[in-house]
Amino acid sequence: MSWKPRVIVFTCWCSSSGVDQAGFEGFTYPPNVLTVRVPCSAVINPSLIVKAFEKGADAVLVTACRPSELRRVAPSRVTEARVSLLRRLLRTIGVEEDRLRILWISSNEGSLFSREVSRILGEVERLGPLNIGGSMVEQG
Amino acid sequence: MRRVTIVLCTCYSTLLGEIDFERLRSFFSDSPLVEKILVSDRLCEKNVFENLGLDDDRVVVAACSTRLLEAVFKGSGGFNGLVEFVNIREQCAKACGNREEATWKAIRLVKGAVQKALHAEPLSTEGLKIVKEALVIGGGIAGVRCALDIADAGYRVYLVEKEPSIGGVMAQLDKTFPTLDCSICIEGPLLSEAGRNRNITIIPNAEVVEVKGVVGDFKVRIRVNPTYVDPDKCNGCGECVNVCPVYQPNKYDADLKPVKAIYCPFAQAVPLKYVINRDYCVECGLCMKACTRAAINLEDKPKTVELNVGAIVVAVGSDLFDPRLKPEYHYGEYENVITNMEFERIICASGPTGGILLKRDGKPAKRVAFIQCVGSRESGAGIEECSYYCCAASMKEARLILEHDREARVFIFYNELRAFGKGWEDLLYRRCLEDGVVFIRSRPSEIRRTGDGSLLIVYEDTLTGSRGELEVDMVVLALGFKPSSRMIELAERLGVTVDKHGFIEEAHAKMRPLETRVRGIFVAGTCHGPRDIVESAVEGSGAAALVTSLFGRSSLRLPEYARVSLEKCTGCGRCLASCEYGAIVREGDKVRVLESVCNGCGSCLAACPQEAITLGNWGLEQLSPMVSAMLED
């Protein structure tokens, strides 16, 4: 079997329903897209994302609620800020920014999820396997 | 050593064709981390999981959508945090192209969940205490309706009112729209019902000064201001009033009709007890001599009442815009420019003029103009919002004028006439047109006084673009709502948030419209935005339903909230900025999470450099081994 990117998807409670919806409506996506459900995207510690890369993920996606859908209180704004900062940091150690993405997925957007995942997988496939040679954290 | 039991569900055997359960089972059967593997075909059915006898075990459940299954589990009682769910249906079997792939993915997902379950810490399943007594703040129509509904459900209610009597704004109105029925005649019976109800304790002349605790168990401190008349002794006979030599303006009558310094605000007041306004009292002592029950005590001091309640309803209402902030209308300077609240008292049969619309010089007002949107729908001194009630109120008041005096001429200066409520179009707008009320689309630029003392309204008709001047005897300003600074202080004490205008903010404007961000604190009436009587009463009942449904629960658990380890916390404060809910506060040189406010998003966990904050089993300690296990070959 040829190389296929391995992807960790952190899904918040609500967007996890969106991911459910994808399967429910029969939108398939590759099996090496592995989901981790968390209560809210804001709980995702940037070091957890780094850990995923370190342990062999070729890409990490974070799916979260659109900040505009959360009215005035929007923890996913915090997530967005953290992810964009981490993308820049990753670039400095040679990890392409596009390997870390945040996706706004509502609880009924299954088709959007499967479409976006397939598109992102295509891009990551072109980037090839992530080779960071050992631990990023310990080296620091 | 910790071990995990795996429960696989075949979903009524429908997953057997999509996932190789034998391979899944054999993959984990030799693992030293796994205690045993059970297979069910209907885990979602009642008692199936319970009958597996896994109460204290660490369990991984691989079945359908976590959203569906977790609800079933939580519904069945205790949720100890040691059960981990994996969705092998929607996120695996249904999302993969073939059986081979789905089985491969299921193994990875379960591997991750096994690690998470192994690192999970048991969560407390202990329920919170629910004190089944409620506090309603504000005795207007929303608060009274709410208190009565809670009391009728069998629970004790404390109804705190800042004035000497409950009743609020509705008690001051002459008639209600659109049906023109007498306001106090329909509210009065409710007030006396509240006064008589054994489950309701009315605390008048009082305000909330401190609130502590969480949903189910709030500790509230209330200051009762001195009234100088012992309410337990006063029987409302009124002998004191007869002898009192001093007059003061009565707030109830919009300061238009004087009352004595010892007074009862209005005839239908509940409780019917007299109070003394010490700003006017000359301490002559005549009332003390007249009172046969020795109820009067000029040495009266403020008292403090401590309450322990399970829920709080905020129904404090809202103030109206101060028309002095619009100097072009000369309110307070031209005596025949009045507010709509003053109009309500003047047109009321029991009001200062006995219901005859008189100018201040005692002559009848024959030509009356209403100016709409004073302090609302503007970016100046008022608020941008429409104040909801005033189109209907002014049309009602126009009809009242014409009912009293068919010869009168009435003009309404409107911006958009909004007659959206039940009966408003028919009973207000059409009837006004039929009765000859003149509607002029304009926000007048100025009111001038002419030589003979009548008023000249200068305006531009925005339908025709023409400028005009209109001479009238009286101008009534339809005032918008404006939350008082007092209410904003109360909101701070309660820990609830206010919007940019100062109205209390709902937990969710659409889905949780009567809840605030603090669990157990509800809201009703105009304190969270402009409303009319009907909607205030509806919300009073709605808030009461939420309170009684809270009290009807056998146990109460807060959703998982963030907890701070005081040993690890260095007080750096990064979590404060990360919390979108404002649920973290400084306490000494550490921080504290307000558990009633925390929504359990976990943003603070990720922000804390000391890993001093935990939230259920969502820390790095659990998620890190989970992610590692899912990725390993």
PDB file of all heavy atoms in Angstrom, chain A residues 61-78:
ATOM      1  N   LEU A  61      -5.867  18.439  12.281  1.00  0.00           N
ATOM      2  CA  LEU A  61      -6.982  19.352  12.034  1.00  0.00           C
ATOM      3  C   LEU A  61      -7.692  19.630  13.357  1.00  0.00           C
ATOM      4  O   LEU A  61      -7.781  18.753  14.204  1.00  0.00           O
ATOM      5  CB  LEU A  61      -8.008  18.765  11.071  1.00  0.00           C
ATOM      6  CG  LEU A  61      -7.549  18.278   9.711  1.00  0.00           C
ATOM      7  CD1 LEU A  61      -8.764  17.824   8.903  1.00  0.00           C
ATOM      8  CD2 LEU A  61      -6.827  19.388   8.983  1.00  0.00           C
ATOM      9  N   VAL A  62      -8.172  20.836  13.481  1.00  0.00           N
ATOM     10  CA  VAL A  62      -9.018  21.168  14.619  1.00  0.00           C
ATOM     11  C   VAL A  62     -10.357  21.606  14.034  1.00  0.00           C
ATOM     12  O   VAL A  62     -10.404  22.509  13.204  1.00  0.00           O
ATOM     13  CB  VAL A  62      -8.409  22.314  15.448  1.00  0.00           C
ATOM     14  CG1 VAL A  62      -9.374  22.751  16.544  1.00  0.00           C
ATOM     15  CG2 VAL A  62      -7.071  21.878  16.053  1.00  0.00           C
ATOM     16  N   THR A  63     -11.433  20.923  14.406  1.00  0.00           N
ATOM     17  CA  THR A  63     -12.747  21.386  13.938  1.00  0.00           C
ATOM     18  C   THR A  63     -13.454  22.040  15.109  1.00  0.00           C
ATOM     19  O   THR A  63     -13.436  21.537  16.226  1.00  0.00           O
ATOM     20  CB  THR A  63     -13.602  20.243  13.382  1.00  0.00           C
ATOM     21  OG1 THR A  63     -13.886  19.311  14.418  1.00  0.00           O
ATOM     22  CG2 THR A  63     -12.924  19.534  12.234  1.00  0.00           C
ATOM     23  N   ALA A  64     -14.066  23.192  14.826  1.00  0.00           N
ATOM     24  CA  ALA A  64     -14.663  23.984  15.902  1.00  0.00           C
ATOM     25  C   ALA A  64     -15.854  24.759  15.374  1.00  0.00           C
ATOM     26  O   ALA A  64     -16.093  24.817  14.167  1.00  0.00           O
ATOM     27  CB  ALA A  64     -13.631  24.953  16.478  1.00  0.00           C
ATOM     28  N   CYS A  65     -16.592  25.345  16.314  1.00  0.00           N
ATOM     29  CA  CYS A  65     -17.748  26.168  15.952  1.00  0.00           C
ATOM     30  C   CYS A  65     -17.274  27.491  15.395  1.00  0.00           C
ATOM     31  O   CYS A  65     -16.323  28.077  15.911  1.00  0.00           O
ATOM     32  CB  CYS A  65     -18.615  26.447  17.171  1.00  0.00           C
ATOM     33  SG  CYS A  65     -19.165  24.982  18.026  1.00  0.00           S
ATOM     34  N   ARG A  66     -17.946  27.990  14.391  1.00  0.00           N
ATOM     35  CA  ARG A  66     -17.651  29.338  13.890  1.00  0.00           C
ATOM     36  C   ARG A  66     -17.819  30.332  15.048  1.00  0.00           C
ATOM     37  O   ARG A  66     -18.858  30.307  15.708  1.00  0.00           O
ATOM     38  CB  ARG A  66     -18.657  29.728  12.818  1.00  0.00           C
ATOM     39  CG  ARG A  66     -18.363  29.164  11.478  1.00  0.00           C
ATOM     40  CD  ARG A  66     -19.440  29.521  10.471  1.00  0.00           C
ATOM     41  NE  ARG A  66     -19.164  28.781   9.260  1.00  0.00           N
ATOM     42  CZ  ARG A  66     -19.415  27.501   9.119  1.00  0.00           C
ATOM     43  NH1 ARG A  66     -19.982  26.822  10.088  1.00  0.00           N
ATOM     44  NH2 ARG A  66     -19.103  26.869   8.008  1.00  0.00           N
ATOM     45  N   PRO A  67     -16.845  31.196  15.267  1.00  0.00           N
ATOM     46  CA  PRO A  67     -16.992  32.153  16.377  1.00  0.00           C
ATOM     47  C   PRO A  67     -18.283  32.957  16.263  1.00  0.00           C
ATOM     48  O   PRO A  67     -18.926  33.259  17.254  1.00  0.00           O
ATOM     49  CB  PRO A  67     -15.761  33.045  16.237  1.00  0.00           C
ATOM     50  CG  PRO A  67     -14.771  32.209  15.519  1.00  0.00           C
ATOM     51  CD  PRO A  67     -15.551  31.320  14.601  1.00  0.00           C
ATOM     52  N   SER A  68     -18.710  33.248  15.037  1.00  0.00           N
ATOM     53  CA  SER A  68     -19.921  34.062  14.865  1.00  0.00           C
ATOM     54  C   SER A  68     -21.171  33.335  15.327  1.00  0.00           C
ATOM     55  O   SER A  68     -22.191  33.948  15.602  1.00  0.00           O
ATOM     56  CB  SER A  68     -20.075  34.459  13.405  1.00  0.00           C
ATOM     57  OG  SER A  68     -20.180  33.294  12.616  1.00  0.00           O
ATOM     58  N   GLU A  69     -21.108  32.007  15.396  1.00  0.00           N
ATOM     59  CA  GLU A  69     -22.285  31.258  15.816  1.00  0.00           C
ATOM     60  C   GLU A  69     -22.409  31.203  17.331  1.00  0.00           C
ATOM     61  O   GLU A  69     -23.406  30.753  17.864  1.00  0.00           O
ATOM     62  CB  GLU A  69     -22.240  29.820  15.277  1.00  0.00           C
ATOM     63  CG  GLU A  69     -22.560  29.771  13.802  1.00  0.00           C
ATOM     64  CD  GLU A  69     -22.435  28.396  13.219  1.00  0.00           C
ATOM     65  OE1 GLU A  69     -22.159  27.445  13.952  1.00  0.00           O
ATOM     66  OE2 GLU A  69     -22.608  28.294  12.002  1.00  0.00           O
ATOM     67  N   LEU A  70     -21.370  31.609  18.015  1.00  0.00           N
ATOM     68  CA  LEU A  70     -21.379  31.516  19.464  1.00  0.00           C
ATOM     69  C   LEU A  70     -21.736  32.839  20.109  1.00  0.00           C
ATOM     70  O   LEU A  70     -21.535  33.044  21.283  1.00  0.00           O
ATOM     71  CB  LEU A  70     -20.015  31.052  19.975  1.00  0.00           C
ATOM     72  CG  LEU A  70     -19.621  29.657  19.536  1.00  0.00           C
ATOM     73  CD1 LEU A  70     -18.218  29.355  20.013  1.00  0.00           C
ATOM     74  CD2 LEU A  70     -20.562  28.616  20.077  1.00  0.00           C
ATOM     75  N   ARG A  71     -22.234  33.756  19.334  1.00  0.00           N
ATOM     76  CA  ARG A  71     -22.619  35.047  19.855  1.00  0.00           C
ATOM     77  C   ARG A  71     -21.424  35.738  20.494  1.00  0.00           C
ATOM     78  O   ARG A  71     -20.323  35.652  20.017  1.00  0.00           O
ATOM     79  CB  ARG A  71     -23.774  34.881  20.851  1.00  0.00           C
ATOM     80  CG  ARG A  71     -24.857  35.935  20.648  1.00  0.00           C
ATOM     81  CD  ARG A  71     -26.066  35.622  21.472  1.00  0.00           C
ATOM     82  NE  ARG A  71     -26.541  36.811  22.125  1.00  0.00           N
ATOM     83  CZ  ARG A  71     -26.581  36.957  23.428  1.00  0.00           C
ATOM     84  NH1 ARG A  71     -26.155  36.017  24.222  1.00  0.00           N
ATOM     85  NH2 ARG A  71     -27.037  38.044  23.936  1.00  0.00           N
ATOM     86  N   ARG A  72     -21.629  36.393  21.605  1.00  0.00           N
ATOM     87  CA  ARG A  72     -20.556  37.218  22.151  1.00  0.00           C
ATOM     88  C   ARG A  72     -19.428  36.365  22.738  1.00  0.00           C
ATOM     89  O   ARG A  72     -18.264  36.708  22.677  1.00  0.00           O
ATOM     90  CB  ARG A  72     -21.131  38.122  23.240  1.00  0.00           C
ATOM     91  CG  ARG A  72     -20.328  39.357  23.505  1.00  0.00           C
ATOM     92  CD  ARG A  72     -21.052  40.214  24.506  1.00  0.00           C
ATOM     93  NE  ARG A  72     -21.113  39.573  25.805  1.00  0.00           N
ATOM     94  CZ  ARG A  72     -20.236  39.785  26.772  1.00  0.00           C
ATOM     95  NH1 ARG A  72     -19.249  40.609  26.581  1.00  0.00           N
ATOM     96  NH2 ARG A  72     -20.353  39.181  27.930  1.00  0.00           N
ATOM     97  N   VAL A  73     -19.821  35.250  23.309  1.00  0.00           N
ATOM     98  CA  VAL A  73     -18.844  34.382  23.944  1.00  0.00           C
ATOM     99  C   VAL A  73     -18.387  33.334  22.936  1.00  0.00           C
ATOM    100  O   VAL A  73     -19.198  32.593  22.417  1.00  0.00           O
ATOM    101  CB  VAL A  73     -19.476  33.704  25.173  1.00  0.00           C
ATOM    102  CG1 VAL A  73     -18.488  32.774  25.821  1.00  0.00           C
ATOM    103  CG2 VAL A  73     -19.979  34.746  26.143  1.00  0.00           C
ATOM    104  N   ALA A  74     -17.129  33.316  22.620  1.00  0.00           N
ATOM    105  CA  ALA A  74     -16.679  32.423  21.570  1.00  0.00           C
ATOM    106  C   ALA A  74     -15.303  31.845  21.879  1.00  0.00           C
ATOM    107  O   ALA A  74     -14.287  32.376  21.463  1.00  0.00           O
ATOM    108  CB  ALA A  74     -16.661  33.154  20.235  1.00  0.00           C
ATOM    109  N   PRO A  75     -15.272  30.720  22.620  1.00  0.00           N
ATOM    110  CA  PRO A  75     -13.975  30.123  22.923  1.00  0.00           C
ATOM    111  C   PRO A  75     -13.190  29.749  21.665  1.00  0.00           C
ATOM    112  O   PRO A  75     -11.965  29.716  21.698  1.00  0.00           O
ATOM    113  CB  PRO A  75     -14.338  28.875  23.727  1.00  0.00           C
ATOM    114  CG  PRO A  75     -15.693  29.132  24.267  1.00  0.00           C
ATOM    115  CD  PRO A  75     -16.386  29.995  23.262  1.00  0.00           C
ATOM    116  N   SER A  76     -13.894  29.489  20.538  1.00  0.00           N
ATOM    117  CA  SER A  76     -13.109  29.086  19.371  1.00  0.00           C
ATOM    118  C   SER A  76     -12.264  30.231  18.808  1.00  0.00           C
ATOM    119  O   SER A  76     -11.347  29.996  18.043  1.00  0.00           O
ATOM    120  CB  SER A  76     -13.974  28.434  18.287  1.00  0.00           C
ATOM    121  OG  SER A  76     -15.227  28.996  18.188  1.00  0.00           O
ATOM    122  N   ARG A  77     -12.599  31.461  19.222  1.00  0.00           N
ATOM    123  CA  ARG A  77     -11.695  32.571  18.856  1.00  0.00           C
ATOM    124  C   ARG A  77     -10.324  32.379  19.504  1.00  0.00           C
ATOM    125  O   ARG A  77      -9.292  32.659  18.906  1.00  0.00           O
ATOM    126  CB  ARG A  77     -12.276  33.902  19.336  1.00  0.00           C
ATOM    127  CG  ARG A  77     -13.156  34.595  18.326  1.00  0.00           C
ATOM    128  CD  ARG A  77     -13.317  36.057  18.687  1.00  0.00           C
ATOM    129  NE  ARG A  77     -14.150  36.200  19.871  1.00  0.00           N
ATOM    130  CZ  ARG A  77     -15.440  36.517  19.832  1.00  0.00           C
ATOM    131  NH1 ARG A  77     -16.038  36.722  18.686  1.00  0.00           N
ATOM    132  NH2 ARG A  77     -16.150  36.625  20.936  1.00  0.00           N
ATOM    133  N   VAL A  78     -10.351  31.887  20.740  1.00  0.00           N
ATOM    134  CA  VAL A  78      -9.103  31.618  21.454  1.00  0.00           C
ATOM    135  C   VAL A  78      -8.342  30.516  20.727  1.00  0.00           C
ATOM    136  O   VAL A  78      -7.138  30.614  20.499  1.00  0.00           O
ATOM    137  CB  VAL A  78      -9.406  31.192  22.913  1.00  0.00           C
ATOM    138  CG1 VAL A  78      -8.120  30.897  23.656  1.00  0.00           C
ATOM    139  CG2 VAL A  78     -10.209  32.256  23.636  1.00  0.00           C
TER     140      VAL A  78
END
